[in-house]
């Protein structure tokens, strides 16, 4: 079942573009994070990995064993700036992990295959 979209894609792309242009206001950043998390859920559907970007949002993604209670075995957590840099391609997964800006645990917690997001790439 595809993720339920809450962020209008036009508004999400506009917020991400604004963030990439230097607008780091909370409404812009929160909209950009939620949009990109929803995009990740669309391209990597599942419930095996929980991606957390506090305080803006969280989503469960990637096929595999579903977790229902407690702390999931596969967790990715990062800050807003790092997440948007990953989603947009401004940084790589390997660089963010090596710098300690991403905390990933579990065998499915590597998001390299899905980042950067196609929807986050600049449009002509």
């Amino acid at each position: 079942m595809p993720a339920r979209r809450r962020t209008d894609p036009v508004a999400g792309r506009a917020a991400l573009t604004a963030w990439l242009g230097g607008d780091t206001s909370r409404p812009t950043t929160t909209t950009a994070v939620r949009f990109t998390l929803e995009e990740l859920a669309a391209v990597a559907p599942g419930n095996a990995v929980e991606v957390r970007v506090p305080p803006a949002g969280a989503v469960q993604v990637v096929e595999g064993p579903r977790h229902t209670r407690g702390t999931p075995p596969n967790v990715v957590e990062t800050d807003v700036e790092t997440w948007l840099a990953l989603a947009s391609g401004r940084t790589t997964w390997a660089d963010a992990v090596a710098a300690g800006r991403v905390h990933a645990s579990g065998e499915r917690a590597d998001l390299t295959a899905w980042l950067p997001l196609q929807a986050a790439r600049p449009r002509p």
Side-chain angles (χ1 to χ4, degrees):
M1 175 166 69
R4 186 175 59 136
R5 187 161 298 276
R6 296 182 193 171
T7 306
D8 173 22
V10 173
R13 281 189 190 93
L16 184 58
T17 299
W19 181 84
L20 289 167
D23 180 354
T24 58
S25 67
R26 187 170 184 134
T28 296
T29 303
T30 300
T31 300
V33 169
R34 290 181 181 162
F35 167 69
T36 53
L37 287 173
E38 290 166 7
E39 286 295 318
L40 179 63
V43 298
N47 297 97
V49 179
E50 185 166 295
V51 180
R52 301 172 181 166
V53 185
V59 69
Q60 289 186 358
V61 297
V62 182
E63 289 184 8
R66 180 183 181 99
H67 105 90
T68 55
R69 294 189 313 179
T71 302
N74 299 285
V75 176
V76 172
E77 187 163 346
T78 190
D79 60 88
V80 169
E81 292 79 18
T82 301
W83 171 250
L84 291 175
L86 285 165
S88 65
R90 281 195 168 172
T91 194
T92 66
W93 179 262
D95 288 345
V97 170
R101 295 173 31 211
V102 171
H103 303 284
S105 63
E107 63 185 34
R108 299 183 195 297
D110 183 342
L111 302 180
T112 303
W114 298 282
L115 297 173
L117 295 168
Q118 176 69 28
R121 294 184 182 153
R123 304 215 184 287

